Each structure stands twice: as structure tokens, then as C-alpha cells.
Amino acid sequence: QQPVQSPQAVILREGEDAVINCSSSKALYSVHWYRQKHGEAPVFLMILLKGGEQKGHEKISASFNEKKQQSSLYLTASQLSYSGTYFCGTVERETSGSRLTFGEGTQLTVNP
Amino acid sequence: DSGVTQTPKHLITATGQRVTLRCSPRSGDLSVYWYQQSLDQGLQFLIQYYNGEERAKGNILERFSAQQFPDLHSELNLSSLELGDSALYFCASSVGGGANTGELFFGEGSRLTVL
């Protein structure tokens, strides 16, 4: 089951904040966040395993509400380098292997 | 450099043909994943192998097949190619193979163009 991401696109000015949401209709084991710049491979940002746990990566953090199957990615004081497409990936509880299913992505543009 | 190597980087072929994409995982990683990314689309999970065995299967077409060899490299075979198969195919690897897998390391992808 593919997670749903919102918004589809965000345009920011440098220094502004943004929140990207990810939700699933299935019980989740974990949520992963990746960033992909145009023409490049996706790069891992963080993984969340426990309900309500927040993980941080520089000025990028995330939360995971295990009960609601929702995760949010917080980008604080955005930098030009944050531009790219952000994907959340989910691993369902009732799954075989490490089936990591990605959402459609959120395109983030940070302008000077 | 993620340490995951994919070949070829670019491939142009005709409809009806068959191609093989190759992936070498990072040293020490036992899992290999294949994803398909069509133009400006998301990452569609195709299949996962762990230590030579199929571990999870996604929306992989019957015309597609994959395997992981004893040296842990993997190949994705695409046959009877159609125009819609044109896409960027990513391989990723990770240490673990279960639900608690950690970070996936992606290769640079193989761009397939079917004419």
C-alpha cells in the first residue's frame, strides 16, 4: 500500500520552514525519509521506528505517530541545498522482507 | 558515492527486445532491491533479494525477472520490452533483510529507453 504524501509541491524562500506529511492506511513498522535531487539517486535522511520518536538530521527532523500511521518531516530555516524531491517510504507491520514502499514524493524548491 | 554499482548507465533498445541490468551491492550488504522510476514519477518497488533468496515482491511484471547470485550481485532481466518500460531503474542495497532494515544505499541507476 503506497503511502500518501502532502503537499505535492512546496516553494520556499531561503530561511523559511516547511512540513511534509506522510500517511498510510496500514499499520507501520517504520517510516523512512529520502531526498532525491534532479538526475541523482535518492539519499537517505532518516528512519523512524517508534511511535512519537523524533529523529534529526542537521536542521531536518521528523516525527512518527505510530497510532495514526502518520509521519511528518520538518525542514527548519531552509537552505538552497534542501531543494529536491522528498520521498517517504514505509515498511508495513504485516510484510515480508524489507518491502519499502515509497510515496509519490514532494517537490521542494528553495529560492534565494 | 554510495558504493552500489549499476551497469549500464544508459541503454537504448527497441520494442520487443530483452535487456539485462546489473547491480553490485555495497561490500557487506546482503540485500538488494530493485526500483523503477518513470519520468518525474515516484519509486516503484519491484523486488528484494536477501542473501540469494527472494524476500519481497512488488508490482513486478511477468516480463521482468531478477536474481541474486552467490557473490551477491543481482541482475534484473526485462523482456518483450514496451515503450512504457522506459524508465530509470535503481538498485539499492542494505545490510539487513527484514522489516527492521536500516538505510538503503542507492546506485546511480540505469536509464532504459525503449524506442
Side-chain angles (χ1 to χ4, degrees):
Chain A
Q1 189 81 20
Q2 185 178 38
V4 177
Q5 286 185 236
S6 63
Q8 288 186 317
V10 183
I11 299 176
L12 301 173
R13 286 196 179 275
E14 203 172 2
E16 293 182 337
D17 302 340
V19 180
I20 300 173
N21 300 303
C22 175
S23 65
S24 174
S25 60
K26 299 286 189 179
L28 300 177
Y29 183 90
S30 62
V31 177
H32 300 220
W33 287 95
Y34 286 76
R35 178 172 63 205
Q36 183 180 30
K37 292 184 180 289
H38 186 68
E40 299 181 6
V43 174
F44 175 81
L45 293 176
M46 64 191 72
I47 181 173
L48 302 109
L49 296 172
K50 296 179 181 179
E53 184 170 336
Q54 293 194 358
K55 294 283 189 178
H57 177 79
E58 298 179 341
K59 293 182 181 179
I60 301 175
S61 62
S63 63
F64 176 29
N65 186 321
E66 189 179 349
K67 292 183 180 179
K68 292 186 177 180
Q69 331 302 339
Q70 293 175 348
S71 178
S72 294
L73 186 71
Y74 307 95
L75 299 104
T76 305
S78 58
Q79 306 170 10
L80 296 177
S81 62
Y82 286 3
S83 292
T85 301
Y86 289 77
F87 292 99
C88 77
T90 55
V91 178
E92 297 173 8
R93 286 190 181 278
E94 300 299 324
T95 186
S96 60
S98 311
R99 178 173 177 158
L100 182 61
T101 304
F102 288 97
E104 288 292 327
T106 296
Q107 190 169 354
L108 179 73
T109 303
V110 181
N111 293 318
Chain B
D1 183 6
S2 67
V4 178
T5 303
Q6 288 189 246
T7 58
K9 285 186 168 40
H10 299 277
L11 189 57
I12 301 174
T13 188
T15 55
Q17 295 297 305
R18 172 190 170 94
V19 298
T20 297
L21 309 180
R22 181 188 170 99
C23 170
S24 293
R26 284 190 332 151
S27 177
D29 285 357
L30 299 179
S31 269
V32 169
Y33 309 74
W34 287 98
Y35 285 88
Q36 179 192 55
Q37 186 174 42
S38 301
L39 189 64
D40 294 330
Q41 296 294 312
L43 296 153
Q44 298 298 317
F45 174 77
L46 295 179
I47 198 162
Q48 176 208 1
Y49 281 86
Y50 177 77
N51 204 19
E53 295 187 359
E54 182 183 306
R55 186 60 71 95
K57 203 167 186 177
N59 300 322
I60 187 168
L61 300 173
E62 286 190 8
R63 299 184 286 109
F64 296 0
S65 65
Q67 56 182 327
Q68 186 179 28
F69 294 87
D71 66 352
L72 301 178
H73 92 271
S74 177
E75 292 182 356
L76 178 66
N77 300 296
L78 315 175
S79 62
S80 302
L81 286 168
E82 302 175 358
L83 296 178
D85 297 329
S86 296
L88 190 54
Y89 291 85
F90 282 108
C91 169
S93 72
S94 69
V95 174
N100 61 348
T101 190
E103 176 179 356
L104 266 61
F105 296 87
F106 283 82
E108 293 185 356
S110 292
R111 181 168 296 282
L112 172 67
T113 302
V114 182
L115 301 176

